[in-house]
Amino acid sequence: MKFHHVGIVVHKISDKMPFMKDILKTNITTIPFHDKIQKVNVSFLKMGDFSIELIEPAEEITPITNFLAKRGEGIHHLAFEVDDIKEKVKELCNKGGKIICSPDLGFENRLISFVYLDAFPGKIIEIISKRPLKI
Amino acid sequence: MKFHHVGIVVHKISDKMPFMKDILKTNITTIPFHDKIQKVNVSFLKMGDFSIELIEPAEEITPITNFLAKRGEGIHHLAFEVDDIKEKVKELCNKGGKIICSPDLGFENRLISFVYLDAFPGKIIEIISKRPLKI
């Protein structure tokens, strides 16, 4: 299990990215990826081995709509890479987790899953398969 | 500027650490450090280059007391290392930041500072001097 990124919800990536790059002193970002399943766009900002994922809603009703309405822009989740995503999601469920989104195709053709784990501070964990799916 | 850790506020480190280690599959933690200035105890949990800092109140009224009362356990801040902490804090203030805690002695004899930056999603940024103070 390896840390992958901190997911940060914003209203609009193109509005926020220049400010983030300026504050964090990095120019390394990825082209926004449209995640059809999550109904969001995501773009990564990299500082060495560390990554921040900026997430914006791509439709009116999305999994981050409530978060934005209630708390505004902010840190939404921590994401970790694993070899076996199904096994890890099962483990988290056995430890009290509830699946928000079952493993499905996300950025870089990888399987991603979101689990709500009340006992985990931060509550939302994203699990990412280490290897992209071969399509 | 380099990422250092994600700061997570908890009620009690000793209650939460075993669960975090189990979920994140790591055994690498640091002995809790009592930060007299912040009135908290902190302990780091390491996953390769990534670190999570668990923070618990060490007194009744602390800088994290309101956070815990309002939001419960959760992600509190992102922390970054810099060569010149005073220069970085000054830069953040020029960009709208407000100092929560001026540079002062923290863990590993390093200077640490907290800045509230409303335009930064997550709001609270910790700045850490790269080198420990020679005492």
Side-chain angles (χ1 to χ4, degrees):
Chain A
M1 189 154 181
K2 194 183 162 198
F3 169 75
H4 190 275
H5 67 258
V6 173
I8 291 183
V9 163
V10 298
H11 290 292
K12 201 162 164 55
I13 291 172
S14 58
D15 284 351
K16 194 56 69 175
M17 192 60 100
F19 179 75
M20 299 291 283
K21 285 164 70 179
D22 178 43
I23 293 292
L24 301 177
K25 306 297 176 217
T26 176
N27 277 315
I28 307 169
T29 61
T30 62
I31 297 165
F33 165 76
H34 176 53
D35 185 326
K36 287 180 190 171
I37 293 157
Q38 300 296 324
K39 302 169 190 167
V40 297
N41 300 316
V42 304
S43 181
F44 290 93
L45 180 149
K46 303 197 177 198
M47 300 175 75
D49 290 332
F50 178 68
S51 290
I52 286 175
E53 179 193 46
L54 293 190
I55 313 152
E56 68 178 11
E59 298 181 23
E60 201 177 329
I61 305 298
T62 75
I64 58 168
T65 302
N66 271 347
F67 183 96
L68 261 176
K70 276 189 190 169
R71 295 179 39 182
E73 296 186 330
I75 299 170
H76 179 263
H77 66 262
L78 298 180
F80 301 93
E81 255 183 16
V82 295
D83 284 319
D84 187 335
I85 187 168
K86 287 185 184 170
E87 192 57 38
K88 187 69 193 178
V89 169
K90 191 176 160 193
E91 181 206 328
L92 293 178
C93 290
N94 288 339
K95 289 169 180 165
K98 288 176 185 171
I99 293 173
I100 300 171
C101 168
S102 295
D104 213 331
L105 209 58
F107 65 93
E108 297 172 359
N109 284 330
R110 304 211 211 182
L111 287 176
I112 63 169
S113 178
F114 288 89
V115 177
Y116 181 92
L117 185 55
D118 194 51
F120 186 84
K123 313 289 187 192
I124 301 171
I125 302 176
E126 180 179 0
I127 304 297
I128 304 167
S129 64
K130 197 175 272 179
R131 283 170 293 279
L133 276 187
K134 288 176 184 165
I135 297 177
Chain B
M1 188 154 180
K2 194 182 163 199
F3 169 76
H4 190 275
H5 68 259
V6 174
I8 292 183
V9 164
V10 297
H11 290 291
K12 203 164 164 50
I13 292 172
S14 58
D15 284 351
K16 194 56 69 173
M17 192 60 99
F19 179 75
M20 299 291 283
K21 285 163 69 177
D22 178 43
I23 293 293
L24 301 177
K25 306 297 176 218
T26 176
N27 277 316
I28 307 169
T29 60
T30 62
I31 296 166
F33 165 75
H34 176 52
D35 185 327
K36 287 180 189 172
I37 293 157
Q38 300 296 323
K39 301 169 189 168
V40 297
N41 300 315
V42 305
S43 182
F44 290 93
L45 180 149
K46 303 197 178 199
M47 299 176 75
D49 292 331
F50 178 67
S51 289
I52 287 176
E53 178 194 46
L54 293 190
I55 313 152
E56 69 179 9
E59 300 181 21
E60 202 177 329
I61 305 298
T62 75
I64 58 169
T65 302
N66 271 347
F67 183 96
L68 262 175
K70 277 189 189 168
R71 296 179 39 182
E73 296 186 330
I75 299 171
H76 179 263
H77 66 262
L78 298 180
F80 302 92
E81 255 182 15
V82 295
D83 285 319
D84 187 335
I85 187 169
K86 287 184 185 172
E87 192 58 36
K88 189 68 192 179
V89 170
K90 190 176 161 192
E91 180 206 328
L92 294 178
C93 289
N94 288 338
K95 288 168 181 167
K98 288 175 187 171
I99 294 173
I100 300 171
C101 168
S102 295
D104 213 331
L105 208 58
F107 66 93
E108 296 173 359
N109 284 330
R110 305 212 213 182
L111 287 176
I112 64 168
S113 177
F114 287 90
V115 177
Y116 181 92
L117 186 54
D118 194 51
F120 186 85
K123 313 290 187 191
I124 300 171
I125 302 176
E126 180 180 0
I127 305 297
I128 304 167
S129 64
K130 197 174 270 177
R131 283 171 293 280
L133 277 187
K134 287 175 185 168
I135 297 177

